[in-house]
Amino acid sequence: MKNKFNQLRDEFLEQLARVKTNEHLKELELKFLSRRGRLSELMGGLKDLNVDLKKEAGELANNVKKELQEKFNALSKSLNNLVAKNNEIDVTLPGANLAQGHLNPITLVQNELEDIFSSLGFMILDGPELESDYYNFTALNIPPNHPARDMQDTFYVDYKNKDGHYDLLMRTQTSPVQIRAMQKYGAPLKALIPGRCFRNEATDARHEHTFYQVEGLLIGENINFANLKSFLEIVGQRLFGPNTKLRMRPKFFPFVEPGNNGEYTCFLCQGSGCRVCKQTGWLEIVGAGLIHPEVLRAGGIDPEIYSGLAFGFGLNRLAMLKYNINDIRLFNSGDLKFLEQF
Ligand code: FA5
C-alpha cells in the first residue's frame, strides 16, 4: 500500500512538472485529486487493512494528499498570476517609441522667411504650378518670340489653345503669382509667394528640373530704388545676422527695371573669403528690382500712381548654404539618410 501511495505521488509530480496551462492543470486535478480521482480511489482501499497497517498507511496517505494539494495550489497560483499579468495594461510604462518625422530643409528655410515677412506685414500667397504661357511669360513683359524667352525653358502640356499655341506649362518661376496677386488684391500690396518651379535644364550639383523659389513684392505710392536697397538690407540682416552687408549689381530680368542681383556678405566667413563663397566674401542670393510699368499694367495697376519692388530667392540655394548641402539633387532623392539629418 505504501508503495502505491509513493508511486502515485511520483507520477503526479512528474506530470505536474510538465503542466503549462490552466486547462492542463484542471485535467490533472480531475485525474488525481478529485473525489473520483486516483488518490481518493487509493484511500478508499485503506478501510480493508488491519488496524496497525491502516494507521501507518493512513498517515502516509494524508501526508501525500497534503503534499500533492500544496504543489497543485502553488502551480495554480503562479499560472493565474501569469495570465493576469499578460492581460493587464501597465499605464505607467513608457509608450512605444514611434519614429518621428522631420521637416524638410526647404520647409525650414521657407518657414523662416515666412516668419520674417509676416512680421513685416506681408501676406503669404500661393499660385498654380501648372500655369498659362500668358502669366508665366507674356504678362511678365516677355512676349512671344522675344529673346528673353530663351533664358528659361520648361515642360509644356500637350494642349493647344484655339490659336494653335501650346498654352499650358509648368511654371519656371514664382513671378506669375505677382500678376495674379495684383489682379486679385490691387494696390497697395505686400505679398510673399513661396512655391515649386520647374525648368527643362540639364541637372548638376546646383541645378534641378524641380526646385523652389520664394517671390516677394511690395507695391505702393513712391516706392523707389532706395526703398528696395534698405528693404533687402533688412531682409539680409534678419536672415544672416545684424552685421550682414548688401551689395547690388545690375542684372537683366524682363519684369523689373532696373534689375539687380543682391549679394550678402558670406555668413560663414563674415566676408573674409572661404570655400562656400568661393573666396569672394559675397553670396549671390536674391534677384530683385523695381517692377516694370508693363507688369503693373498687366496686373491692372496704374504705373502713373503706383510703383513697386519685387525680389526672388532660390529656396534650395538658401537651404544649401544654411545646412552645408553640397548637391541640390539630394532634395528630390527621397533618401532618408539625407532627410533625417534635419
Ligand atoms: C528668376 O526666376 C526671377 N523670377 C527672380 C526675380 C523675381 C527677379 C523678382 C527679380 C524680381 P532666376 O532665373 O535667376 O530669376 O532664378 C532665381 C533663383 O532661382 C536662382 O538664383 C536660383 O537660386 C534658383 N534657380 C533657378 N533655376 C534653378 C534650377 N534649375 N535649379 C535650382 N535652382 C534654380
Side-chain angles (χ1 to χ4, degrees):
M1 198 64 179
K2 274 169 44 180
N3 279 349
K4 284 190 178 167
F5 275 109
N6 282 332
Q7 203 181 333
L8 181 98
R9 174 179 168 277
D10 291 347
E11 231 183 285
F12 176 84
L13 292 178
E14 190 204 326
Q15 292 190 26
L16 190 72
R18 281 190 260 127
V19 167
K20 294 267 183 302
T21 64
N22 268 326
E23 288 70 32
H24 194 178
L25 190 67
K26 275 205 178 83
E27 279 171 28
L28 211 65
E29 183 182 28
L30 210 63
K31 188 167 156 194
F32 284 91
L33 305 176
S34 67
R35 273 206 296 144
R36 293 194 181 173
R38 288 180 49 193
L39 187 60
S40 292
E41 193 187 327
L42 207 55
M43 288 176 96
L46 289 174
K47 67 179 182 320
D48 302 327
L49 299 175
N50 67 36
V51 181
D52 287 345
L53 277 178
K54 197 194 274 183
K55 193 174 171 230
E56 199 184 331
E59 211 171 304
L60 175 67
N62 280 334
N63 287 343
V64 168
K65 187 179 176 186
K66 197 171 160 225
E67 184 189 351
L68 298 195
Q69 194 64 54
E70 276 172 10
K71 295 251 160 73
F72 173 87
N73 290 345
L75 185 64
S76 172
K77 198 172 165 193
S78 71
L79 279 178
N80 282 336
N81 281 345
L82 202 67
V83 171
K85 209 171 189 165
N86 283 345
N87 288 339
E88 97 191 358
I89 297 170
D90 184 349
V91 291
T92 64
L93 285 176
N97 222 355
L98 291 178
Q100 218 180 349
H102 303 254
L103 286 182
N104 189 284
I106 300 277
T107 313
L108 292 171
V109 178
Q110 181 179 324
N111 286 349
E112 200 179 328
L113 280 165
E114 287 185 10
D115 282 350
I116 294 174
F117 283 91
S118 306
S119 75
L120 296 171
F122 279 60
M123 297 191 274
I124 312 294
L125 298 181
D126 199 3
E129 290 175 359
L130 179 60
E131 208 19 303
S132 70
D133 179 287
Y134 174 78
Y135 279 104
N136 196 78
F137 292 124
T138 309
L140 289 169
N141 201 27
I142 317 173
N145 304 318
H146 193 280
R149 288 214 172 196
D150 292 348
M151 291 162 67
Q152 302 175 1
D153 188 18
T154 185
F155 307 99
Y156 288 82
V157 172
D158 193 5
Y159 160 82
K160 285 184 182 165
N161 65 13
K162 56 183 185 325
D163 306 325
H165 291 120
Y166 287 108
D167 206 22
L168 288 179
L169 49 87
M170 302 308 291
R171 68 176 177 196
T172 55
Q173 47 191 346
T174 40
S175 303
V177 193
Q178 281 192 31
I179 307 289
R180 291 181 177 278
M182 290 181 212
Q183 289 176 342
K184 185 163 181 187
Y185 298 103
L189 181 61
K190 285 199 274 187
L192 188 80
I193 306 141
R196 191 158 51 162
C197 304
F198 309 83
R199 288 190 196 180
N200 181 11
E201 285 191 21
T203 61
D204 59 29
R206 291 166 66 86
H207 297 91
E208 256 293 14
H209 48 72
T210 304
F211 58 97
Y212 290 80
Q213 285 188 345
V214 63
E215 187 94 3
L217 77 158
L218 189 159
I219 299 172
E221 287 179 42
N222 301 319
I223 300 295
N224 57 36
F225 206 81
N227 297 135
L228 176 63
K229 182 167 180 284
S230 70
F231 186 78
L232 290 181
E233 261 164 8
I234 294 170
V235 172
Q237 284 162 8
R238 298 281 283 270
L239 259 182
F240 302 117
N243 296 327
T244 307
K245 289 191 176 54
L246 169 77
R247 98 176 164 183
M248 299 171 91
R249 305 216 281 184
K251 177 158 185 204
F252 171 68
F253 296 103
F255 30 86
V256 285
E257 181 58 40
N260 64 87
N261 244 335
E263 298 176 9
Y264 293 114
T265 37
C266 175
F267 60 90
L268 277 174
C269 63
Q270 314 302 330
S272 59
C274 69
R275 191 181 51 84
V276 171
C277 61
K278 299 202 186 93
Q279 312 303 332
T280 63
W282 296 94
L283 293 171
E284 204 178 303
I285 299 285
V286 57
L290 293 179
I291 302 175
H292 197 289
E294 284 304 320
V295 174
L296 287 172
R297 245 180 235 118
I301 292 176
D302 185 349
E304 301 300 326
I305 305 173
Y306 293 104
S307 51
L309 58 89
F311 52 91
F313 297 94
L315 275 186
N316 299 68
R317 178 153 163 70
L318 262 189
M320 287 171 81
L321 286 169
K322 281 216 133 178
Y323 299 109
N324 204 7
I325 298 165
N326 60 7
D327 194 323
I328 194 171
R329 290 166 292 196
L330 285 164
F331 289 105
N332 292 338
S333 68
D335 184 348
L336 287 179
K337 274 190 252 155
F338 168 67
L339 293 171
E340 281 170 354
Q341 298 174 63
F342 303 98

